[in-house]
Amino acid sequence: MDIKFRDYIDADYNDFHEMVRSLYSNDLEGQPMNGTKVTSTINEAKKNPQKVRIIIFLNNNEIVGYSILVYYWSNEFGGNMLFIDELYVKEDSRSKGIAAYFFTSLEKMDNIVALQLEANTSNRRVLDYYMKLGFEAAGNTHLIKMKDSNTSS
C-alpha cells in the first residue's frame, strides 16, 4: 500500500461526485444530497481553502476515498477546531488502515486543538471504530435549525 492524501483538483470531479453519491446512498438518516450541493462545496473550498478543504485519498495513485474538512474557532476549546464533515473510503479499500492513517496525519497538525466529527447513532460499526480511534461523545447535543429557503433574509 502506498497511501497519500492531496487536495481536490478539478480532474477529480467525477470520482468525487460518485463517492459522495455512494456515501449518501448508505446514509439514509442524513440530508438529501444533490449535484448543486457538491458543486457549492467544491466552489467554497476553492474560494476559501483556509475554511474548507476537500482531501482526496490515494492508494498506489488510485482514488480510494475523500474527506471534507471544515476549520472553525472554538472559544470553549480555546483554539481552532477541525470538523471532519465527511469521510468516505470506497468499499473495496476499507479495513486497510486508510482512515486510521488519515486521522493520524490530522492529529499531527499544529494549528488545531481538536478533531470533531459526527456519525449516525444507528451505525454502530462506524461509532465503535471512531471510539477505538479515541473519539468520544461530547456532552453537548448537536441541534440544527434549517433556514427556510422560501423566505428571503
Side-chain angles (χ1 to χ4, degrees):
M1 280 200 329
D2 180 27
I3 306 300
K4 294 182 181 145
F5 309 110
R6 65 163 170 76
D7 287 306
Y8 170 92
I9 57 175
D10 287 337
D12 299 329
Y13 180 81
N14 289 334
D15 287 314
F16 176 61
H17 194 90
E18 182 58 37
M19 289 185 294
V20 170
R21 188 176 13 252
S22 183
L23 173 69
Y24 281 85
S25 71
N26 294 318
D27 183 6
L28 302 177
E29 297 176 27
Q31 292 291 312
M33 183 50 59
N34 60 50
T36 300
K37 289 181 181 181
V38 173
T39 300
S40 293
T41 299
I42 292 167
N43 291 340
E44 186 67 20
K46 287 178 179 180
K47 190 168 75 173
N48 293 301
Q50 75 287 357
K51 179 176 120 180
V52 179
R53 286 179 69 197
I54 302 169
I55 305 298
I56 301 297
F57 300 2
L58 302 166
N59 183 10
N60 297 317
N61 292 319
E62 177 186 340
I63 294 175
V64 296
Y66 78 95
S67 184
I68 298 174
L69 306 176
V70 179
Y71 300 87
Y72 69 95
W73 181 267
S74 171
N75 186 51
E76 178 180 1
F77 290 94
N80 286 310
M81 301 284 288
L82 181 56
F83 179 67
I84 301 144
D85 184 45
E86 292 181 9
L87 186 143
Y88 177 81
V89 175
K90 291 180 179 180
E91 194 166 339
D92 60 351
S93 294
R94 293 179 188 160
S95 300
K96 295 181 180 178
I98 295 169
Y101 185 58
F102 180 65
F103 284 119
T104 299
S105 71
L106 293 178
E107 290 173 3
K108 292 178 183 177
M109 297 172 68
D110 59 4
N111 61 338
I112 59 169
V113 297
L115 302 175
Q116 180 184 14
L117 53 75
E118 64 183 13
N120 290 328
T121 55
S122 64
N123 193 338
R124 265 323 307 170
R125 187 176 95 353
V126 168
L127 284 173
D128 290 345
Y129 177 71
Y130 289 149
M131 290 180 156
K132 178 180 160 191
L133 293 176
F135 287 88
E136 52 189 53
N140 297 337
T141 298
H142 190 91
L143 304 170
I144 292 179
K145 179 179 181 187
M146 297 297 295
K147 184 176 171 181
D148 184 0
S149 62
N150 294 325
T151 62
S152 53
S153 314

